[in-house]
Amino acid sequence: MNIFSDIILKARAAWLLSLFCFLLAACEQKPKCEAIAYSGNTMGTIYNIKLVVKPEQRTAAKNTQAAIDALLLDFNQSLSTYIKDSEIMTINAAPINQWIDVSPRFLGVLTLSQEVSALSGGAFDATVAPLVNLWGFGADWRQDDPPTEQQITSAKKNVDFSAIEIDAENFRIKKQKNIALDFSAVAKGYGVDELATYLWQQGFHHFMVEIGGELRLHGHNAEGMPWRIGVESPQTGGEIRPIAVSEVGVATSGDYRNYFERDGVRFSHTIDPATGKPITHSLASVTVVAGSAAKADALATAFSVMGGDKTMALAAKEGIAVYLIERAQEGFSVRHSPAFAPYLLEL
């Protein structure tokens, strides 16, 4: 090695050392992120939001809740079946075979619902409201005796997701039967997505939004790591399966909380549109990870109706990330699709 090469190597080493010291100092001086959390009531449940912000975003983050509450009030006025003059209730009361103008939000929810209905062969159906109400799981919650076969057959006549014509270009729809729409199986997820979009537009790119168990996660937590959440076991005191997620929506659907019993028979709140009756298979809980909370929400409901084997077959075919908890002879068993594996953390 000649003297000039030696000088060059020493100079390069000194430069690298200086760069390392500069980066180290920059990391030490970098403002630490903090998490700001707030919550409130919406859609008959609770919403929770956690923002990871820099010091200069702290004030804006704390002033965001009022705008969030206003957005949710507007959302409910559009999609809630508990508000008599909401958009969805007005549409349900409108006559058949006439074009009805709808909002972009309503059209978005309906279009997604129709896509999942087609994908699941009708297991997800936003027109299932007559059956839900018949079984006592609707807006007027009650626990009467199970309906008769004649009542079920009559209610099923107006359960048909294909009986809606959509004119997306002009934001209007036409009901071809006297159907009643109910987006309760997708609305919370769609609301989560709207909140996530709003936060992103305000410059917040690291957050977790949750409404009634449906989530949307972006960026990282305050420690700079992907968000960690848990898949809850239906079994009291059961194991919670941790997963790491970001840039996705997550939804869980289960029949272990909302049900009633008559003469020793358990009736789930999840109604199969094909039979008109509550599901009877062994699937207790479904967790789906998808590109949006709304799609995860709708798919989780569809899979709850389809049962474990059909769900796994469709998930494998379509590359859907799904985690199932099923009743076994003793306790519960679990299985998941290949697409869900990357989200699992060690216990």
Side-chain angles (χ1 to χ4, degrees):
M1 180 182 296
N2 60 41
I3 187 170
F4 295 106
S5 297
D6 187 49
I7 290 173
I8 293 172
L9 288 174
K10 288 181 179 179
R12 182 177 296 173
W15 177 79
L16 289 173
L17 179 61
S18 298
L19 178 61
F20 173 77
C21 292
F22 171 78
L23 292 174
L24 181 62
C27 289
E28 290 177 347
Q29 295 171 6
K30 184 179 180 180
K32 291 185 177 180
C33 294
E34 65 174 297
I36 293 179
Y38 44 86
S39 62
N41 298 313
T42 187
M43 305 184 204
T45 184
I46 298 172
Y47 76 81
N48 292 282
I49 295 176
K50 184 175 289 187
L51 300 178
V52 178
V53 300
K54 300 175 182 178
E56 62 267 25
Q57 294 178 301
R58 186 183 300 119
T59 300
K62 290 182 177 178
N63 292 336
T64 299
Q65 184 164 12
I68 291 294
D69 287 334
L71 189 156
L72 288 170
L73 282 174
D74 183 63
F75 188 92
N76 278 326
Q77 187 60 43
S78 177
L79 300 181
S80 176
T81 55
Y82 291 80
I83 300 175
K84 292 183 179 180
D85 63 347
S86 67
E87 180 179 17
I88 190 170
M89 293 301 285
T90 301
I91 290 169
N92 284 345
I96 65 173
N97 295 320
Q98 292 186 17
W99 287 109
I100 310 165
D101 292 332
V102 298
S103 67
R105 171 190 287 140
F106 191 97
L107 185 65
V109 177
L110 177 59
T111 300
L112 174 63
S113 297
Q114 298 294 72
E115 290 174 356
V116 176
S117 293
L119 179 67
S120 64
F124 180 89
D125 193 328
T127 70
V128 77
L131 290 169
V132 173
N133 293 331
L134 182 65
W135 284 91
F137 294 108
D140 299 323
W141 166 260
R142 65 187 190 281
Q143 295 184 21
D144 298 332
D145 291 331
T148 64
E149 290 292 337
Q150 184 178 0
Q151 289 174 315
I152 294 171
T153 300
S154 178
K156 283 178 62 179
K157 293 178 181 178
N158 290 321
V159 176
D160 184 0
F161 74 89
S162 67
I164 307 171
E165 187 175 349
I166 299 177
D167 179 4
E169 184 176 352
N170 295 300
F171 293 94
R172 59 181 188 170
I173 67 170
K174 182 190 293 185
K175 302 187 299 180
Q176 298 167 342
K177 289 183 181 180
N178 188 29
I179 58 171
L181 289 162
D182 186 343
F183 294 131
S184 59
V186 66
K188 290 195 295 294
Y190 204 91
V192 165
D193 290 331
E194 283 205 12
L195 295 185
T197 298
Y198 173 79
L199 292 172
W200 187 273
Q201 292 172 342
Q202 302 308 303
F204 303 112
H205 297 162
H206 305 279
F207 55 80
M208 177 179 69
V209 179
E210 180 257 338
I211 300 178
E214 323 306 354
L215 301 108
R216 182 78 174 264
L217 309 104
H218 279 276
H220 56 68
N221 61 22
E223 288 72 43
M225 302 294 290
W227 293 96
R228 293 170 61 104
I229 61 175
V231 178
E232 182 184 11
S233 170
Q235 190 172 9
T236 303
E239 184 180 83
I240 294 179
R241 192 67 166 89
I243 61 175
V245 286
S246 189
E247 318 306 324
V248 294
V250 183
T252 297
S253 179
D255 73 341
Y256 54 94
R257 284 200 181 102
N258 195 358
Y259 64 91
F260 71 90
E261 293 186 3
R262 280 292 181 274
D263 301 324
V265 179
R266 187 175 185 275
F267 296 97
S268 167
H269 77 290
T270 302
I271 308 298
D272 184 345
T275 66
K277 301 177 182 180
I279 57 173
T280 57
H281 52 65
S282 61
L283 187 54
S285 174
V286 181
T287 297
V288 177
V289 177
S292 70
K295 188 166 187 178
D297 198 0
L299 284 171
T301 298
F303 291 156
S304 292
V305 172
M306 292 169 61
D309 292 341
K310 290 182 179 179
T311 290
M312 294 303 290
L314 183 59
K317 177 183 176 183
E318 300 293 334
I320 300 170
V322 60
Y323 184 89
L324 307 182
I325 302 177
E326 299 169 281
R327 296 180 183 83
Q329 289 186 344
E330 296 183 6
F332 294 88
S333 63
V334 301
R335 52 177 165 163
H336 60 80
S337 65
F340 199 91
Y343 302 110
L344 293 170
L345 294 172
E346 294 294 332
L347 293 173

